[in-house]
Amino acid sequence: MSEQGFWVIFMPSGRRGRFPEGVTLLEAARELGVGIESICSGRLTCGKCKVRVEEGEFAKHGILSTANHLTPMGEEERALLHSLHAEDCRLSCTARVTGDVLIYVPEESRAQKQIIRKAATERIIEIDPALRQYYVVVDEAALGEHRGDWGRLQDALQRAAGLTDLTIDLHALRKLQPALREGKRGVTVVVWNDREVIDVRPGYQEGIYGLAVDIGSTTVAAYLCDLRTGEVLATESAMNPQIIYGEDLMSRISYTMMNEDGVEKMHDAIIKALNKLAAQAAHAATLRARDIHEMVVAGNTTMVHLFLGIDPRELGGAPFALANRDAMDIKARDLGLRLHPAANVHVLPSEAGHVGADNVAVLLAEEPHRQDEIELIVDVGTNAEIVLGNRHWLMSASSPTGPAFEGAQISAGMRAAPGAIERVRIDRATGHATFRVIGDERWSNEWNVHASSHLAGKPEYLAAGICGSGIIEAVAELFLAGILLPDGRFNPAHPTDRLVWEGRRAAYILATPEQTANGQPIYVTQDDVRNIQLAKAALYAGAKVLMKRAGIERVDRIILAGAFGSYIDPLYALVLGLIPDCDPQRIVAVGNAAGDGARIALLNRAKRQEAMALAHSVRYVETAVAQDFQEEFVGALHIPHASDPFPHLADLLPAPAAVADAAPGRRRMRTRTSG
Amino acid sequence: MSEEIILSELSLEDLYELMKEDLYDGLAEEIEEEVREALARGEAPYDVLTKGLVAGMEIVGNDFRDGILFVPEVLMAAKAMKAGMAILRPLLAETGAEKIGSMVIGTVKGDIHDIGKNLVAMMMEGAGFEVYDLGINNSVENYLEAIEKYKPDILGMSALLTTTMPYMKVVIDALKEKGIRKDIIVLVGGAPLNEAFAEAIEADAYCRDAAVAVETAKKFMQIRKGVKV
């Protein structure tokens, strides 16, 4: 921003600033802190960042805003906007400023705080933290005796707790003598892992706290725990601020490849966010951040690299080499974390290039290695992590599902934010949909879109798009209603009036214009269905390849981990063929298991050893290069599957007769509608 | 709608029609029978290829492009095509029939994903191209070596990851450095790519999917042959 340049004003936030010619609207928005969705980071594929120029003389702002104050629209931008039915918009990632403009950011383009309940679940954890407090009375110094106060403290700790070979953090050493004076030789000492004295406080003191953190690509969750009781004192979560540099992992790695200061920027962003979360959590528990003596971190491998300030570019391509697979203990202050000045950070170990500490944390929480039953654990995100096994063996894989399940690559896709369609039911006879959006408990058929108040039936939020769970339900319901054929084509023989045909291509009207925020219908297009097929097939095929390696045909239990897993209805996951057949009663969503695992490692140090053992023993299978992956992938493109049986869906799936005309036959002259 | 078909009783026109339909339905055995029948009637191998198989695959390609067919159906069709080609290839070599074109294709270094690339390779074969598939994780050296060996008309590069697609530029720069960039048509594709990227790295074209790849390849081949004549 400078004295020169042009005014860019964003509405409805009203934020404004002057920018030099040639700056993209997205860059200007970021500079001003205006949140605009962008998934593809300027590669003109997602169309999420669309905004509108408000034309005219805006006296209040002292500017004349016109559409020609942006660089002209390119072919690609025009085509993308056309496909989004948003001809009156511009893509903020590509439109560059050439004059004063007033920009309106439509509801569906605003990056809102996500609603993801990353609450800590109740699990039984044996409390044996790495941090212990000891109250000791230290010998008085005397002439002719030269142990020094640290030597005397070591002797006291050996007498009291049998601790030997201790070291002391410089910060604690600085506090030692004042504490001895103030406490009249009596001090409370915090010892980490029976090895290092990290704090010395005068007199007898109680209370020791730690923070467990799960750094997700989208959401960061922090749990402040009382290390003596294991009680969760506060849970805080926030969006990962790195999202502005790229929605998915690969985009962020790519950002570091393209920008010299990329690692530094993303490292600083996450540290800043963690400092804020720590302060908020401490505040909620009437503590201060400096009362936090240890932090345990889980996260995918890219997040862990960036957290540590390590360039993750090696993870951007095969062979996906980690800088370090093992657990680490580092000083929080070295990372710029504002906790207790001598606090340590324990980073959980990873399994392989793209199966990270978050997955190890899930294993700590779910303990498949203690079960007889064979469990399939699936963590769905842009990259799905899959673990299969029981107490005798464990295998893992990572499947590139792509961002379709997070709403990207879906024409009306959006993240799980207010207004996103999250639940869908389709009437089997009429083919009409009813749905529910995030932020309103009622189904759309209870809405009165013309009412004046919420109580009279006016929806809190009109539909703005479809989020991941919504698109899964929509596709599964379309299939159950016979509107989609098992091969993923829209059924030309279905009588519903909600299919709009353009030649032999169709799109399904999920929400009608009066139900949506922008007054345009929300469609499920043929390409949307194809993208969901690709994503679900990648996940299913990954699981199937592991099952084949293990020589098993079915699993006893399926665990859906991750925030997204909590929102998928297990039945629809089965109908879609996202996961292999299983008793729906035995498919459970466990929420943020990675956060739970981090908490477990915070509260029990033996679990850190267990995590290392797990990380080293899980057999990672690189599914992409597996001989049978393509075959499994292709078979899994069908809904639910081309050949694998789903006996648990027997009563639910449409009768094969309904789709008989789509089946190939032998030696028949067939006629096709056109060539 | 269904009736028994006796191949020998069909007119030639109906035989080619049937070939296209069976290709569409991915019926490999039937395709083999029909190719043999056509040859037995004295049809030139090149005509069987173009009027039957290539024409059939064109319909498959169009429907794939339009979202009516999807990957599994296209793979089935390509397999049927392959079965027919296995019979025709030696005959075509014998007769020295005109070649439609040739292509070296591979996924770039750092990338181990190949399903999309495989689909392009099969569709290109379906369109009558000679295809040399280098597989995954290909370095500049791999590409250059293959180009020297096979002297293809077209180089196809694929990447599934945002992080591996910049390698395409490395390969194109190497072609320029060797002074052979103008001798070869470079087509690129993969999920994270788009036209702007292809333009920026100075590829000849971005192909959104396998069907577009075939169309684009044919278009470039026409231009190329036109220039050469």
Side-chain angles (χ1 to χ4, degrees):
Chain A
M1 276 176 275
S2 66
E3 293 285 302
Q4 273 94 42
F6 302 109
W7 279 109
V8 181
I9 304 172
F10 289 96
M11 287 297 162
S13 68
R15 299 202 180 182
R16 54 191 287 157
R18 268 179 193 274
F19 293 90
E21 184 165 349
V23 161
T24 67
L25 290 175
L26 191 60
E27 285 162 353
R30 281 176 183 167
E31 191 93 38
L32 294 171
V34 175
I36 294 181
E37 287 265 14
S38 167
I39 295 179
C40 67
S41 41
R43 287 191 303 275
L44 292 178
T45 51
C46 79
K48 300 296 172 213
C49 67
K50 61 176 189 281
V51 296
R52 217 166 45 230
V53 181
E54 298 293 332
E55 302 215 64
E57 183 107 42
F58 293 91
K60 187 181 149 210
H61 304 294
I63 66 160
L64 172 71
S65 168
T66 88
N68 348 331
H69 285 175
L70 294 175
T71 44
M73 211 183 273
E75 259 324 294
E76 217 164 332
E77 183 183 359
R78 190 182 307 279
L80 184 53
L81 287 168
H82 176 75
S83 71
L84 297 168
H85 305 285
E87 279 88 346
D88 59 342
C89 289
R90 292 298 306 268
L91 296 177
S92 55
C93 66
T94 181
R96 294 176 186 277
V97 174
T98 60
D100 295 344
V101 278
L102 186 88
I103 299 297
Y104 179 74
V105 185
E107 192 175 325
E108 62 266 32
S109 302
R110 284 174 223 155
Q112 284 145 318
K113 193 177 157 68
Q114 269 199 303
I115 302 184
I116 284 195
R117 295 152 218 155
K118 281 210 169 184
T121 39
E122 290 300 316
R123 288 177 194 274
I124 299 157
I125 306 169
E126 193 192 324
I127 310 298
D128 177 22
L131 293 178
R132 288 296 173 85
Q133 293 187 106
Y134 300 96
Y135 173 74
V136 288
V137 178
V138 177
D139 299 342
E140 204 140 0
L143 267 177
E145 191 258 294
H146 306 292
R147 282 177 294 167
D149 280 315
W150 166 230
R152 282 183 282 275
L153 176 61
Q154 288 182 74
D155 290 344
L157 284 165
Q158 179 162 19
R159 282 198 303 271
L163 297 173
T164 55
D165 300 321
L166 290 170
T167 61
I168 185 165
D169 185 271
L170 177 60
H171 175 85
L173 185 60
R174 285 175 183 152
K175 285 173 71 183
L176 175 61
Q177 289 184 322
L180 287 170
R181 283 196 297 275
E182 194 186 331
K184 302 193 170 56
R185 318 305 301 168
V187 287
T188 302
V189 180
V190 178
V191 180
W192 176 79
N193 264 332
D194 300 338
R195 281 214 300 272
E196 184 193 29
V197 172
I198 62 165
D199 200 8
V200 183
R201 292 181 279 182
Y204 177 81
Q205 307 244 0
E206 272 188 35
I208 182 142
Y209 309 96
L211 195 69
V213 171
D214 169 34
I215 308 175
S217 325
T218 318
T219 310
V220 185
Y223 310 98
L224 178 64
C225 299
D226 184 322
L227 295 184
R228 292 169 314 155
T229 62
E231 192 189 343
V232 178
L233 301 175
T235 300
E236 295 286 333
S237 68
M239 266 190 113
N240 187 328
Q242 294 167 347
I243 221 155
I244 61 172
Y245 304 108
E247 192 87 358
D248 56 88
L249 297 181
M250 285 300 164
S251 301
R252 277 181 226 173
I253 296 174
S254 163
Y255 187 83
T256 73
M257 293 164 74
M258 303 296 175
N259 297 275
E260 224 169 276
D261 56 353
V263 176
E264 193 185 329
K265 269 189 180 165
M266 287 194 272
H267 172 71
D268 290 350
I270 190 62
I271 295 297
K272 214 166 139 189
L274 288 171
N275 280 333
K276 200 169 159 196
L277 282 178
Q280 282 171 352
H283 183 77
T286 61
L287 296 167
R288 294 162 310 162
R290 56 182 298 124
D291 295 324
I292 298 170
H293 276 90
E294 193 179 34
M295 180 162 132
V296 170
V297 173
N300 62 56
T301 53
T302 306
M303 291 305 106
V304 167
H305 275 67
L306 290 172
F307 167 70
L308 295 172
I310 299 171
D311 191 336
R313 75 178 58 201
E314 293 298 333
L315 301 176
F320 308 108
L322 292 164
N324 168 29
R325 179 174 71 159
D326 293 340
M328 283 179 78
D329 288 295
I330 25 183
K331 285 290 169 189
R333 62 183 177 229
D334 290 347
L335 292 168
L337 286 169
R338 289 197 299 271
L339 308 174
H340 185 275
N344 286 303
V345 178
H346 181 80
V347 184
L348 286 167
S350 300
E351 291 161 44
H354 282 285
V355 188
D358 51 349
N359 195 257
V360 171
V362 169
L363 297 183
L364 277 187
E366 287 306 317
E367 304 194 314
H369 53 291
R370 295 188 200 285
Q371 326 276 337
D372 288 316
E373 288 187 319
I374 294 174
E375 283 188 350
L376 177 70
I377 304 174
V378 176
D379 194 342
V380 186
T382 49
N383 203 58
E385 286 102 46
I386 305 163
V387 178
L388 178 72
N390 64 4
R391 66 167 75 245
H392 303 297
W393 51 270
L394 285 172
M395 286 193 265
S396 70
S398 139
S399 249
T401 46
F405 292 143
E406 299 191 341
Q409 291 177 349
I410 300 300
S411 58
M414 65 183 283
R415 281 204 304 266
I421 294 175
E422 59 163 350
R423 294 276 173 260
V424 176
R425 297 290 179 273
I426 292 172
D427 187 279
R428 301 290 184 264
T430 63
H432 289 196
T434 50
F435 56 84
R436 237 172 57 189
V437 300
I438 295 179
D440 202 316
E441 287 298 300
R442 293 163 310 160
W443 287 86
S444 58
N445 55 358
E446 297 161 37
W447 290 5
N448 179 353
V449 288
H450 304 295
S452 53
S453 78
H454 182 64
L455 288 176
K458 190 182 175 66
E460 192 86 2
Y461 296 94
L462 287 164
I466 315 171
C467 70
S469 59
I471 191 70
I472 284 181
E473 291 202 1
V475 174
E477 278 279 314
L478 283 168
F479 168 66
L480 290 177
I483 296 172
L484 268 185
L485 297 169
D487 63 9
R489 244 181 332 140
F490 282 110
N491 184 358
H494 201 282
T496 182
D497 60 354
R498 289 297 164 90
L499 280 179
V500 187
W501 290 91
E502 200 175 299
R504 290 192 295 150
R505 274 173 80 86
Y508 174 80
I509 301 174
L510 183 60
T512 53
E514 65 276 11
Q515 293 174 320
T516 68
N518 67 0
Q520 301 280 344
I522 290 176
Y523 294 101
V524 176
T525 66
Q526 185 70 70
D527 286 343
D528 294 343
V529 176
R530 296 310 193 194
N531 282 328
I532 286 296
Q533 284 180 277
L534 292 172
K536 76 103 179 172
L539 178 52
Y540 185 97
K544 189 70 190 302
V545 166
L546 290 189
M547 287 167 70
K548 281 168 75 183
R549 292 292 175 286
I552 56 169
E553 297 203 336
R554 43 174 221 94
V555 297
D556 299 314
R557 220 162 94 89
I558 297 178
I559 290 167
L560 300 172
F564 177 58
S566 318
Y567 288 90
I568 317 176
D569 185 324
L571 195 65
Y572 287 111
L574 273 184
V575 170
L576 192 64
L578 185 70
I579 45 178
D581 184 59
C582 183
D583 179 354
Q585 304 297 322
R586 312 218 66 206
I587 304 174
V588 278
V590 293
N592 184 18
D596 291 348
R599 208 156 49 87
I600 289 167
L602 176 68
L603 297 173
N604 185 318
R605 56 179 163 172
K607 293 288 178 182
R608 300 182 191 181
Q609 308 298 324
E610 198 173 310
M612 276 292 279
L614 279 168
H616 285 231
S617 67
V618 177
R619 189 176 137 217
Y620 179 72
V621 178
E622 190 66 77
T623 50
V625 295
Q627 286 297 320
D628 45 353
F629 184 73
Q630 176 164 328
E631 189 191 326
E632 290 301 336
F633 177 78
V634 171
L637 284 168
H638 270 71
I639 306 170
H641 195 279
S643 52
D644 290 357
F646 278 75
H648 285 101
L649 294 176
D651 300 336
L652 207 61
L653 296 182
V659 295
D661 70 324
R666 223 187 112 85
R667 281 282 168 259
R668 287 179 304 167
M669 272 299 211
R670 280 163 305 274
T671 46
R672 288 193 300 276
T673 43
S674 75
Chain B
M1 167 168 153
S2 166
E3 60 182 287
E4 267 305 302
I5 294 164
I6 317 243
L7 282 187
S8 55
E9 289 174 4
L10 289 179
S11 71
L12 196 57
E13 198 184 323
D14 281 347
L15 182 64
Y16 279 128
E17 219 34 57
L18 184 66
M19 220 183 273
K20 286 187 245 175
E21 296 203 356
D22 284 345
L23 206 56
Y24 194 91
D25 290 333
L27 305 174
E29 274 174 45
E30 284 76 355
I31 288 293
E32 285 174 357
E33 286 171 36
E34 288 147 17
V35 166
R36 286 203 186 92
E37 171 69 22
L39 291 171
R41 292 190 193 188
E43 283 287 285
Y46 187 76
D47 286 343
V48 181
L49 175 68
T50 50
K51 288 187 199 164
L53 301 184
V54 172
M57 285 305 281
E58 201 169 319
I59 302 171
V60 172
N62 289 343
D63 277 9
F64 177 59
R65 181 198 58 209
D66 292 344
I68 291 152
L69 292 184
F70 202 35
V71 180
E73 295 85 44
V74 174
L75 282 177
M76 287 296 285
K79 271 182 198 161
M81 166 89 193
K82 223 176 177 153
M85 270 307 281
I87 300 169
L88 292 177
R89 191 171 284 120
L91 302 173
L92 286 167
E94 253 169 52
T95 55
E98 185 196 1
K99 287 203 176 73
I100 291 171
S102 60
M103 177 189 219
V104 161
I105 189 168
T107 304
V108 296
K109 188 173 166 184
D111 212 314
I112 53 173
H113 302 92
D114 64 352
I115 294 179
K117 182 265 300 164
N118 294 347
L119 198 62
V120 173
M122 293 184 95
M123 290 291 286
M124 288 293 292
E125 278 183 350
F129 283 80
E130 285 291 325
V131 176
Y132 306 97
D133 188 343
L134 307 183
I136 57 170
N137 201 11
N138 283 290
S139 62
V140 170
E141 293 74 28
N142 281 8
Y143 285 113
L144 292 180
E145 204 177 295
I147 289 168
E148 191 154 324
K149 187 165 164 196
Y150 301 117
K151 312 249 179 311
D153 299 299
I154 300 168
L155 171 66
M157 289 189 281
S158 149
L160 187 83
L161 304 174
T162 315
T163 45
T164 53
M165 63 183 198
Y167 196 77
M168 294 178 175
K169 184 171 188 306
V170 178
V171 178
I172 290 175
D173 288 348
L175 293 177
K176 283 185 200 158
E177 207 170 293
K178 287 202 87 179
I180 54 172
R181 173 66 188 87
K182 290 200 172 70
D183 305 338
I184 193 162
I185 301 158
V186 179
L187 305 182
V188 294
L193 277 72
N194 61 20
E195 264 156 40
F197 175 79
E199 204 170 301
I201 63 166
E202 296 179 42
D204 289 300
Y206 157 72
C207 306
R208 193 172 60 88
D209 58 41
V212 174
V214 170
E215 271 172 35
T216 313
K218 282 185 183 164
K219 199 179 73 194
F220 275 101
M221 284 311 294
Q222 267 168 8
I223 299 170
R224 195 179 173 88
K225 285 182 177 161
V227 170
K228 269 186 182 169
V229 163

